[in-house]
Amino acid sequence: EFEEVRAYQPGDDVRSIDWNVTARTGSPHVKRYVEERELLVLFLLDVSASGRFGSAGATKMETAAEICALLAFSAIENNDKVGAIIFSGDVEEYLPPDKGRKHVLHVVRKLLFYEPKGTKTDIGAALRYLMRVVKRRAIVFVLSDFLAPDFSREIAMAAKKFDLIALKLGDEREERLPQGRLLRVWDQEEGAERVIDLSRRRAREAFSRMASEREERLSALFRRSGVDVVRIKTGEDYIKPLSVFFRARARRR
């Protein structure tokens, strides 16, 4: 950003000479600039129907919105710009980045009390939209359970352009099932119902194995794409894993 015009000093870049001031004063002057230090922070918030699940007092979507609020208030302490993309099967709303307490309060209210329109999840569409509307380097937090069709191409492309951080929301019941008899489960995105016989150990083990394999594939995708990931479960303190992540990130840099 432009700061001042001052007299030319030996060693100054001649390309920074202000010819108008030089002609007016009769001695060479240069324009002086200072580097803009503010960051651009963006949240990609998944509001699809799978985010409405939570077995420990809070849903994945509620937890994600709270984390966005926490990070947004942290960002304005550094005078950073904050924006958000809210998506499900399509991008539902875009809040352009801006700074200031009033703007951040608007973003936080929107994220905390947003009423989703769609039920499906398309992370690839959200990332393509991000790359289209945001032209400068930004820190991008993607908050989702990542239960979505293949988005490997889009996340690899976005990670080259932005500092991409995945905040993976999960729930204990998505990894292992309790012992019991019959459990009726409902897929909110597909509108499908299924009954699982929990008295069969093989069924419980198959469910846990499937969840573990899904996590391994997702972890491998993040590693290949160079995306940092923080795993957060509903009902647990999310401050601790976030603090551990940011401390480790600071040490790396």
Side-chain angles (χ1 to χ4, degrees), residues 3 10 156 196 207:
E3 185 176 49
I196 301 175
F207 181 89

Side-chain angles (χ1 to χ4, degrees), residues 7-54:
Y8 177 86
Q9 297 174 0
D12 285 340
D13 189 342
V14 295
R15 292 174 296 181
S16 64
I17 291 178
D18 187 326
W19 295 106
N20 291 329
V21 177
T22 298
R24 190 167 63 248
T25 62
S27 61
H29 282 69
V30 294
K31 291 180 179 178
R32 184 170 178 270
Y33 296 86
V34 293
E35 184 181 3
E36 186 179 359
R37 299 298 299 169
E38 68 183 18
L39 297 174
L40 186 61
V41 179
L42 274 156
F43 304 110
L44 263 65
L45 179 61
D46 177 4
V47 295
S48 61
S50 62
R52 300 171 195 166
F53 178 73

Side-chain angles (χ1 to χ4, degrees), residues 32 77 105 146 181 228 233 250:
R32 184 170 178 270
E77 290 297 315
L105 286 172
F146 294 94
R181 294 187 179 180
D228 287 329
K233 290 184 180 179

Side-chain angles (χ1 to χ4, degrees), residues 114-144:
Y114 188 78
E115 291 293 334
K117 301 176 181 66
T119 58
K120 307 282 187 178
T121 313
D122 193 338
I123 296 173
L127 291 170
R128 289 193 299 271
Y129 184 86
L130 168 72
M131 290 185 282
R132 191 165 66 249
V133 300
V134 180
K135 301 304 180 184
R136 53 174 285 200
R137 181 78 173 170
I139 298 176
V140 180
F141 295 92
V142 185
L143 298 100
S144 175

